[in-house]
Amino acid sequence: MKSKYMAEPYRIKMVEPIRQTTRDERITLLKNAGYNPFSLRSEDVYIDLLTDSGTGAMSQDQWSAMMVGDEAYAGSKSFYKLESVVKHITGYKYFMPVHQGRGAEQVFLPQLVTKKGMYYISNIHFDTTRAHVELAGARAIDCVVEDCYDIEHYHDFKGNFCLDKLEKAIATHGKENIAGIIMTITNNSAGGQPVSMANLRAVKEIAKKNGIMTIIDGARYAENCFFIKEREDGYQDMDILDIARETFSYGDAFLMSAKKDGLVNMGGILAIKDNEAVYNKCRTYIVPMEGFPTYGGMNGRDMEALAVGLMEALDIHYLQHRIDQIRYLGDRLRDAGVPIQHPVGGHAVFVDCKAICPHIPYDQFPALAVTNALYIEGGVRAVEIGSLLLGRDPDTKKNIQSRMELMRLTIPRRVYTYNHLDVVADAMIHVYEHRHELKGYEFEYESPILRHFTATFRPLK
Ligand SMILES: *Cc1c(COP(=O)(O)O)cnc(C)c1O
């Protein structure tokens, strides 16, 4: 229980009922879902921590802004409103709305791939980013710091680029073959871990020296700014907005899934600092891919809601609460001995299932075993981030072993209270205390690509 005179910085004006099921019902529901939580109906989930993407709650200001959405095909008032907010935050010259983050990727990333054998380099490419790099005919290289894989060890900025790896990758492949450097903030695949301002600045310097463009993949840039304010020397007294502006000064382009720090359920941003040639290419390409450049896959109402949401996400009181919720859940688990990625990142708590289930081999999916046990125990839906997600080697068809077997407890924005998080913690602690009883899984059905979404399983005896 949380108090000491602090609670959620909002009160609830509209409620969405949720229902707890019985343990016996959940055993049947999970069996019917082929032991794959993706196949559960959301109405059969009590607390849904599958993702923080598009699952947040909008504010009264966002809902009221939607009433004045201008649905004009071209030159909508709502477009100009959103454009002015994006320019205000980023300082960039060019902006186009897209339907979600991957929309920005499919329009922008191919424009820098001008020949065969090119590479994008990132701290860690997010899945859809990697997919669009490869669809554009380039290859993806990750250069994150090694601290990122040291789960229990504290590091302020586990999302950072390893500058050494970055310079080596540029030297090995030749600067003329690097399409761009993608700064993923926060570093989603590393557990929502932040990247420091010093690291962004250093990456920009390396890029500049080599004549390479930098791209900010900033789905959670506001959360990243909060960590910089909290942890990095010289930023304690700076406004979040000013930290954001400095962040954007180190990028040449900004791709954003607005389903995260845009505080909307659908939407995305493509902004370009000043490169007119690239902007013109994107403006041509966006029409067949997403839509006319002043709506690009969003309707007027949603652009209004995003214009408001972007500013709300920079509010320090909102961010303090947001990060405190993640930390609260993380602390409760750590206090009970449950091994988690430490410190917690900006949007989720990652539970170390390799440490919980050393008796389950990687190809029997220890993190799926924990995820399913958590659902049965508490009606809580989490997601496996490990060898199941990683898939098979395309050449040998063997299961690839992931370096980490994690279960992600992803917290939607402004949706759950500390009481909900207590339910999650209590259920997870119970699962942890009974960890020796957990069993692995084998496939009943396995799809050839993105198998984690649709696979069905049999529990092993
Ligand atoms: C979610 C996400 C994307 C893709 O955005 P969608 O809105 O899901 O298409 C890209 N990069 C990062 C870092 C993300 O978290």
Side-chain angles (χ1 to χ4, degrees), residues 284-347:
T284 306
Y285 206 63
I286 197 173
V287 178
M289 303 305 276
E290 294 281 300
F292 186 77
T294 64
Y295 73 85
M298 291 185 77
N299 49 47
R301 292 186 278 283
D302 287 351
M303 290 193 277
E304 293 281 343
L306 178 53
V308 177
L310 283 170
M311 294 311 293
E312 287 181 354
L314 292 170
D315 175 10
I316 186 70
H317 303 292
Y318 156 77
L319 281 170
Q320 262 160 353
H321 167 68
R322 166 82 181 140
I323 304 300
D324 190 65
Q325 278 208 324
I326 322 289
R327 214 167 270 162
Y328 176 76
L329 177 58
D331 287 347
R332 278 221 49 204
L333 296 181
R334 255 170 77 84
D335 290 348
V338 179
I340 61 168
Q341 163 82 288
H342 177 63
V344 294
H347 67 288

Side-chain angles (χ1 to χ4, degrees), residues 100-102 105 126 128 184 188 217 219-220 257 259-260:
Q100 62 183 98
R102 64 201 71 181
E105 292 164 357
F126 178 68
T128 60
T184 311
N188 187 351
D217 181 6
R220 300 180 184 79
S257 168
K259 301 171 73 168
K260 284 82 169 223

Side-chain angles (χ1 to χ4, degrees), residues 245-264:
R245 285 194 181 133
E246 183 177 344
T247 299
F248 289 115
S249 77
Y250 303 129
D252 297 306
F254 171 42
L255 316 183
M256 182 189 193
S257 168
K259 301 171 73 168
K260 284 82 169 223
D261 282 352
L263 294 176
V264 291

Side-chain angles (χ1 to χ4, degrees), residues 354-361 364 434-440:
K354 201 190 243 180
I356 294 179
C357 306
H359 59 288
I360 303 181
Q364 295 177 14
H434 293 75
R435 61 191 176 281
H436 306 294
E437 299 159 24
L438 294 172
K439 301 278 199 305

Side-chain angles (χ1 to χ4, degrees), residues 16 69 101 205 306 309 316 318 340 384 396 400 425:
E16 179 181 2
E205 265 165 36
L306 178 53
I316 186 70
Y318 156 77
I340 61 168
E384 193 263 11
T396 66
I400 309 170

